[in-house]
Amino acid sequence: MSGDGRPRVLVFDVNETLTDLSPLAALMARAGLPEQSLPAWFAGVLRDGIALSLAGGHASFGDVARDGLRTLAASARGVADPEEAAERVLAALPRLPLHPDVPDGVRALRAAGYRLVTLTNGSAGTTRAVVEQAGLTDCFETHLDVEAVGRWKPAREAYAHAVAAAGVPADEVALVSVHPWDIDGAARAGLATAWLRRTPQPYPATCLPAAIEATSLPDLAERLVAQGQLIDGEDID
C-alpha cells in the first residue's frame, strides 16, 4: 500500500474514456458509410477483438477495426472503394479530440501527486499522438497497449502488463475507465477501480462494481484528494 492510503498510479483506458469518438461519425458519412453506425461499429470492434483473445487468437485494434469498416462499406450504397473508406476513418484516430473535461482533470490528478499511465486495446502510438496534440505529454509517464501481451482487455494479462510497467503492487494501481467490462476485468485482476460515468446508463449488476464513481476527471480528482483513501474495491466511507 502507498504511504498516504491512496493508489500511486492511475491507469487510464483511452477510447471513450479520454478520447471523444463522436467526430468519426461525420467522417464516416463523408466516406459514404452510415454515420449512425458509429456506436455499433465500435462495439463490434471490441466484441471481435475480445472474442479473438478468448479463443486464443489475436489481431491488432487497427486490423479488427478495418474489418468492421469493410463490412459496413460492403453494405453501404455509394462506396466505390471499401478499403479507401476504411483507411480514411482509421487515419483520423490519432487526431481525435479529448473529452472537454480531460485536460483539467489530468492536470489536477498529476498535481495531486498521482502517476498517470494509459492502457489501450488500440495503439500506444495513437494515444501518444492524441495526448501530444492536447499538450498533455508531460502529464503521463508512459502509454501502453495490449500488443505486448497479445491479449485484449479485459484479459488479466493486459492489466498485469500495466502493473509491471508501473513497478508497484496491483493494489496500488487504479484503472479509470468508462467501460464496466473494463472495470470488472481490472477488479478481477486485483487492481483498484474508478468508473467514469459519462452517460446516464446504469452500471451493470452482473459486473464487479467500481470502488468509486465520478462524472468527470475533475470530479474524480476532487473525490480522490478529498477522501485521501486507497480505492481498494471496498466501499469508500
Side-chain angles (χ1 to χ4, degrees), residues 7-232:
R8 294 183 181 185
V9 183
L10 301 181
V11 176
F12 290 88
D13 172 61
V14 178
N15 290 318
E16 296 190 306
T17 298
L18 298 181
T19 57
D20 180 2
L21 301 186
S22 63
L24 290 179
L27 184 60
M28 291 173 72
R30 290 197 294 272
L33 302 170
E35 62 180 304
Q36 69 273 16
S37 64
L38 172 60
W41 165 71
F42 183 67
V45 174
L46 293 176
R47 177 200 63 213
D48 293 346
I50 293 170
L52 278 170
S53 285
L54 288 172
H58 177 72
S60 71
F61 181 92
D63 288 344
V64 177
R66 185 177 291 104
D67 279 347
L69 290 166
R70 287 195 192 110
T71 299
L72 285 176
S75 59
R77 296 180 179 180
V79 180
D81 188 341
E83 191 68 32
E84 180 183 1
E87 289 303 323
R88 287 180 63 181
V89 175
L90 294 177
L93 294 179
R95 302 192 301 273
L96 283 174
L98 299 177
H99 286 289
D101 66 290
V102 170
D104 287 347
V106 163
R107 292 189 182 101
L109 289 165
R110 187 69 189 90
Y114 292 98
R115 296 169 52 196
L116 309 182
V117 174
T118 63
L119 175 65
T120 180
N121 282 336
S123 161
T126 295
T127 302
R128 195 173 294 110
V130 169
V131 168
E132 182 178 356
Q133 75 178 358
L136 298 175
T137 300
D138 293 342
C139 293
F140 290 90
E141 287 190 7
T142 190
H143 301 291
L144 306 172
D145 59 37
V146 299
E147 291 303 303
V149 294
R151 299 272 288 169
W152 285 40
K153 295 184 297 173
R156 183 178 296 266
E157 295 90 337
Y159 305 107
H161 174 49
V163 171
V168 298
D171 59 8
E172 293 184 10
V173 180
L175 179 84
V176 182
S177 180
V178 297
H179 304 293
W181 57 263
D182 201 6
I183 295 295
D184 181 86
R188 293 181 192 277
L191 279 68
T193 54
W195 182 41
L196 192 59
R197 186 176 186 176
R198 293 199 177 280
T199 72
Q201 296 176 352
Y203 193 90
T206 51
C207 291
L208 290 178
I212 192 170
E213 177 181 324
T215 57
S216 68
L217 286 189
D219 180 36
L220 177 63
E222 290 179 6
R223 290 171 184 268
L224 290 177
V225 171
Q227 293 167 350
Q229 298 180 16
L230 180 69
I231 310 172
D232 60 1

